[in-house]
Amino acid sequence: MKKRFLAVALLLAFAPACDSDRNGGTSASAVPDDPGVSASTASDDPVSSASAVSDDSAVPVLIRLEEIAPKGTYDRPTGLERRFDRPDVLYVVEQAGRIRLLDPSSREATPEAVLDITDRVSDDGNEQGLLGLAFHPSRPGEAYVNYTTKTHTVVSRFAADPSASDRLDPSSEKVILTFRQPRANHNGGQLAFGPDGMLYIATGDGGGAGDPQGNGQDKHSLLGKILRIDVDRTDGELAYSIPGDNPFAGGGGAPEVYAYGLRNPWRFSFDPATGRLWAADVGQDRWEEINLVEKGGNYGWNVREGLDCYKPAEGCPSDGLIPPIHQYGREDGVSVTGGYVYRGSSIPELKGWYVFADYAFGTIWGLRLKGDGTASHRVLAESGLQITSFGAGSDGEIYVCAQDGGIFRIRNG
């Protein structure tokens, strides 16, 4: 999914959030201070609805990144998660197929491995590997992971190791959901439990330039979607059940589908204060998107890329398509990495702002909804890092995962 103008060493090793299609692209320039903003209306969905911020007087200050784990500590981290009964530690997901502990209060040269499933994970492609982790909200010894084999996406459950509750037993794997991936790129991979207790899963469109199979708009395909399933119940031969209020639970599409029209949603998160679901969708040739995801929403791909027509190139329909709340173009970056709404206490001015980044440029932004339905955004830092993911601690503070294996905490600049 590299674009021609980024066929350089920076992006050769790993680009989970980058466009790996080998056609298209334009030249890049330095990052300006204030890229354009688009807005959509607030959702009336009970899971994602929230009140927007009413005034824009509190502008966040610049931030700095406090090193928690130095370069090389972790192997290509793709995520950072927590479990409610262990507020003192975090869990770092490594692309090769391991999960390791992170204690922000101390440094370990070789952090303890919680789970090692490298024997069943394929990370041959830049975007393949172990891509997601979520601990059950009421059973912390139960973890759900999202990984790729050479041909499939697999969502599995692992139980705690009987001899050590901090570790997961690799022999306890229970496959919950699996589906074929036509290509090695655009796998999405994030999964998280929502405030409703359901498990949400991000899937890419299956790869290839321009979504050649039309998966994004195909309501019956699991690709190019946010899925939503109930893992606390089973239904017939399924290892899960379909929530009765899913948009296609009664027909008209795959019953697991919650929202569709996405290209490669690389990292999504729920705002713990509002329940609103934020997702970053990696673009094709022109635009990177931030979307507020609502039940049954169609986010346009591959009819549109951002606000522009994609297929057809002109005169595409817009009815029923939800525009991004924010988009940025190639002058500002090439591969969006989704983040979290800041709910910590160390940077009061940043509270309520959604923090995200561009993988290749390393720019970190803050984005906030305003009362009039538009969005404010600010550059918070030029990190110089290839940012693969974010995480949030139990205290609401935000962490940054770098491609080189370093972990950082956002601090007041």
Side-chain angles (χ1 to χ4, degrees), residues 373-396:
T374 62
S376 294
H377 79 288
R378 301 287 186 273
V379 172
L380 300 179
E382 300 289 359
S383 73
L385 300 170
Q386 291 172 259
I387 296 174
T388 58
S389 195
F390 290 84
S394 58
D395 55 2

mmCIF file of all heavy atoms in Angstrom, residues 373-396:
data_model
loop_
_atom_site.group_PDB
_atom_site.id
_atom_site.type_symbol
_atom_site.label_atom_id
_atom_site.label_comp_id
_atom_site.label_asym_id
_atom_site.label_seq_id
_atom_site.Cartn_x
_atom_site.Cartn_y
_atom_site.Cartn_z
ATOM 1 N N GLY A 373 -21.350 21.972 15.059
ATOM 2 C CA GLY A 373 -21.219 20.797 14.207
ATOM 3 C C GLY A 373 -19.947 20.738 13.396
ATOM 4 O O GLY A 373 -19.688 19.740 12.722
ATOM 5 N N THR A 374 -19.151 21.808 13.436
ATOM 6 C CA THR A 374 -17.856 21.774 12.765
ATOM 7 C C THR A 374 -16.803 21.246 13.737
ATOM 8 O O THR A 374 -17.115 20.919 14.887
ATOM 9 C CB THR A 374 -17.463 23.165 12.248
ATOM 10 O OG1 THR A 374 -17.334 24.054 13.365
ATOM 11 C CG2 THR A 374 -18.505 23.692 11.272
ATOM 12 N N ALA A 375 -15.567 21.160 13.286
ATOM 13 C CA ALA A 375 -14.498 20.634 14.123
ATOM 14 C C ALA A 375 -13.317 21.583 14.142
ATOM 15 O O ALA A 375 -12.975 22.187 13.125
ATOM 16 C CB ALA A 375 -14.054 19.263 13.620
ATOM 17 N N SER A 376 -12.716 21.736 15.298
ATOM 18 C CA SER A 376 -11.449 22.451 15.439
ATOM 19 C C SER A 376 -10.326 21.433 15.459
ATOM 20 O O SER A 376 -10.485 20.330 15.976
ATOM 21 C CB SER A 376 -11.404 23.238 16.747
ATOM 22 O OG SER A 376 -12.343 24.275 16.752
ATOM 23 N N HIS A 377 -9.184 21.810 14.916
ATOM 24 C CA HIS A 377 -8.030 20.925 15.045
ATOM 25 C C HIS A 377 -6.759 21.757 15.127
ATOM 26 O O HIS A 377 -6.710 22.895 14.649
ATOM 27 C CB HIS A 377 -7.976 19.913 13.900
ATOM 28 C CG HIS A 377 -7.440 20.465 12.622
ATOM 29 N ND1 HIS A 377 -8.132 21.340 11.830
ATOM 30 C CD2 HIS A 377 -6.255 20.247 11.995
ATOM 31 C CE1 HIS A 377 -7.417 21.648 10.763
ATOM 32 N NE2 HIS A 377 -6.272 21.003 10.842
ATOM 33 N N ARG A 378 -5.764 21.177 15.778
ATOM 34 C CA ARG A 378 -4.485 21.844 15.995
ATOM 35 C C ARG A 378 -3.351 20.836 15.872
ATOM 36 O O ARG A 378 -3.499 19.674 16.255
ATOM 37 C CB ARG A 378 -4.420 22.458 17.413
ATOM 38 C CG ARG A 378 -5.490 23.476 17.739
ATOM 39 C CD ARG A 378 -5.240 24.802 17.018
ATOM 40 N NE ARG A 378 -6.183 25.821 17.448
ATOM 41 C CZ ARG A 378 -7.387 26.009 16.918
ATOM 42 N NH1 ARG A 378 -7.816 25.215 15.954
ATOM 43 N NH2 ARG A 378 -8.175 26.984 17.355
ATOM 44 N N VAL A 379 -2.236 21.296 15.347
ATOM 45 C CA VAL A 379 -1.015 20.493 15.413
ATOM 46 C C VAL A 379 -0.518 20.538 16.850
ATOM 47 O O VAL A 379 -0.340 21.613 17.428
ATOM 48 C CB VAL A 379 0.063 21.030 14.450
ATOM 49 C CG1 VAL A 379 1.386 20.304 14.680
ATOM 50 C CG2 VAL A 379 -0.370 20.860 13.002
ATOM 51 N N LEU A 380 -0.302 19.362 17.435
ATOM 52 C CA LEU A 380 0.179 19.284 18.814
ATOM 53 C C LEU A 380 1.674 19.017 18.888
ATOM 54 O O LEU A 380 2.332 19.419 19.849
ATOM 55 C CB LEU A 380 -0.568 18.168 19.558
ATOM 56 C CG LEU A 380 -2.085 18.307 19.647
ATOM 57 C CD1 LEU A 380 -2.670 17.106 20.386
ATOM 58 C CD2 LEU A 380 -2.482 19.605 20.329
ATOM 59 N N ALA A 381 2.208 18.298 17.893
ATOM 60 C CA ALA A 381 3.637 17.974 17.904
ATOM 61 C C ALA A 381 4.060 17.471 16.541
ATOM 62 O O ALA A 381 3.267 16.880 15.800
ATOM 63 C CB ALA A 381 3.948 16.916 18.961
ATOM 64 N N GLU A 382 5.313 17.712 16.208
ATOM 65 C CA GLU A 382 5.973 17.077 15.068
ATOM 66 C C GLU A 382 6.946 16.071 15.674
ATOM 67 O O GLU A 382 8.038 16.421 16.082
ATOM 68 C CB GLU A 382 6.693 18.114 14.203
ATOM 69 C CG GLU A 382 5.802 19.194 13.623
ATOM 70 C CD GLU A 382 4.874 18.692 12.520
ATOM 71 O OE1 GLU A 382 4.941 17.481 12.193
ATOM 72 O OE2 GLU A 382 4.089 19.495 11.998
ATOM 73 N N SER A 383 6.526 14.814 15.766
ATOM 74 C CA SER A 383 7.232 13.841 16.597
ATOM 75 C C SER A 383 8.489 13.276 15.962
ATOM 76 O O SER A 383 9.396 12.833 16.665
ATOM 77 C CB SER A 383 6.288 12.685 16.942
ATOM 78 O OG SER A 383 6.066 11.866 15.798
ATOM 79 N N GLY A 384 8.555 13.247 14.625
ATOM 80 C CA GLY A 384 9.674 12.584 13.963
ATOM 81 C C GLY A 384 9.609 11.073 14.042
ATOM 82 O O GLY A 384 10.552 10.386 13.650
ATOM 83 N N LEU A 385 8.486 10.530 14.525
ATOM 84 C CA LEU A 385 8.326 9.086 14.684
ATOM 85 C C LEU A 385 7.391 8.524 13.629
ATOM 86 O O LEU A 385 6.541 9.233 13.102
ATOM 87 C CB LEU A 385 7.745 8.767 16.071
ATOM 88 C CG LEU A 385 8.528 9.207 17.292
ATOM 89 C CD1 LEU A 385 7.667 9.017 18.550
ATOM 90 C CD2 LEU A 385 9.829 8.416 17.421
ATOM 91 N N GLN A 386 7.545 7.241 13.348
ATOM 92 C CA GLN A 386 6.540 6.511 12.589
ATOM 93 C C GLN A 386 5.567 5.936 13.615
ATOM 94 O O GLN A 386 5.827 4.924 14.262
ATOM 95 C CB GLN A 386 7.192 5.401 11.767
ATOM 96 C CG GLN A 386 8.063 5.925 10.627
ATOM 97 C CD GLN A 386 8.831 4.794 9.973
ATOM 98 O OE1 GLN A 386 10.013 4.597 10.231
ATOM 99 N NE2 GLN A 386 8.158 4.033 9.126
ATOM 100 N N ILE A 387 4.421 6.599 13.760
ATOM 101 C CA ILE A 387 3.477 6.261 14.818
ATOM 102 C C ILE A 387 2.507 5.208 14.307
ATOM 103 O O ILE A 387 1.725 5.446 13.393
ATOM 104 C CB ILE A 387 2.731 7.517 15.295
ATOM 105 C CG1 ILE A 387 3.725 8.497 15.927
ATOM 106 C CG2 ILE A 387 1.627 7.159 16.287
ATOM 107 C CD1 ILE A 387 3.137 9.832 16.317
ATOM 108 N N THR A 388 2.587 4.027 14.912
ATOM 109 C CA THR A 388 1.753 2.906 14.471
ATOM 110 C C THR A 388 0.443 2.801 15.225
ATOM 111 O O THR A 388 -0.529 2.261 14.704
ATOM 112 C CB THR A 388 2.508 1.573 14.637
ATOM 113 O OG1 THR A 388 2.888 1.417 16.018
ATOM 114 C CG2 THR A 388 3.753 1.543 13.767
ATOM 115 N N SER A 389 0.401 3.300 16.464
ATOM 116 C CA SER A 389 -0.815 3.163 17.264
ATOM 117 C C SER A 389 -0.737 4.064 18.482
ATOM 118 O O SER A 389 0.326 4.606 18.816
ATOM 119 C CB SER A 389 -1.006 1.704 17.696
ATOM 120 O OG SER A 389 -2.311 1.476 18.172
ATOM 121 N N PHE A 390 -1.887 4.188 19.138
ATOM 122 C CA PHE A 390 -1.993 4.892 20.411
ATOM 123 C C PHE A 390 -2.596 3.940 21.437
ATOM 124 O O PHE A 390 -3.121 2.879 21.099
ATOM 125 C CB PHE A 390 -2.896 6.117 20.288
ATOM 126 C CG PHE A 390 -2.333 7.250 19.487
ATOM 127 C CD1 PHE A 390 -2.436 7.269 18.097
ATOM 128 C CD2 PHE A 390 -1.704 8.318 20.111
ATOM 129 C CE1 PHE A 390 -1.937 8.322 17.359
ATOM 130 C CE2 PHE A 390 -1.190 9.381 19.379
ATOM 131 C CZ PHE A 390 -1.305 9.378 17.991
ATOM 132 N N GLY A 391 -2.557 4.337 22.685
ATOM 133 C CA GLY A 391 -3.226 3.611 23.753
ATOM 134 C C GLY A 391 -3.600 4.581 24.846
ATOM 135 O O GLY A 391 -3.090 5.706 24.905
ATOM 136 N N ALA A 392 -4.515 4.156 25.714
ATOM 137 C CA ALA A 392 -4.945 5.002 26.827
ATOM 138 C C ALA A 392 -4.846 4.216 28.118
ATOM 139 O O ALA A 392 -5.287 3.064 28.196
ATOM 140 C CB ALA A 392 -6.372 5.499 26.620
ATOM 141 N N GLY A 393 -4.252 4.824 29.145
ATOM 142 C CA GLY A 393 -4.152 4.192 30.449
ATOM 143 C C GLY A 393 -5.452 4.322 31.222
ATOM 144 O O GLY A 393 -6.392 5.010 30.810
ATOM 145 N N SER A 394 -5.502 3.672 32.368
ATOM 146 C CA SER A 394 -6.703 3.731 33.201
ATOM 147 C C SER A 394 -6.962 5.144 33.723
ATOM 148 O O SER A 394 -8.088 5.468 34.093
ATOM 149 C CB SER A 394 -6.561 2.766 34.381
ATOM 150 O OG SER A 394 -5.414 3.092 35.155
ATOM 151 N N ASP A 395 -5.929 5.987 33.718
ATOM 152 C CA ASP A 395 -6.069 7.371 34.165
ATOM 153 C C ASP A 395 -6.410 8.317 33.023
ATOM 154 O O ASP A 395 -6.471 9.537 33.217
ATOM 155 C CB ASP A 395 -4.783 7.835 34.850
ATOM 156 C CG ASP A 395 -3.543 7.670 33.977
ATOM 157 O OD1 ASP A 395 -3.674 7.219 32.813
ATOM 158 O OD2 ASP A 395 -2.429 7.973 34.458
ATOM 159 N N GLY A 396 -6.634 7.792 31.821
ATOM 160 C CA GLY A 396 -6.979 8.621 30.685
ATOM 161 C C GLY A 396 -5.807 9.229 29.949
ATOM 162 O O GLY A 396 -5.998 9.889 28.918
#
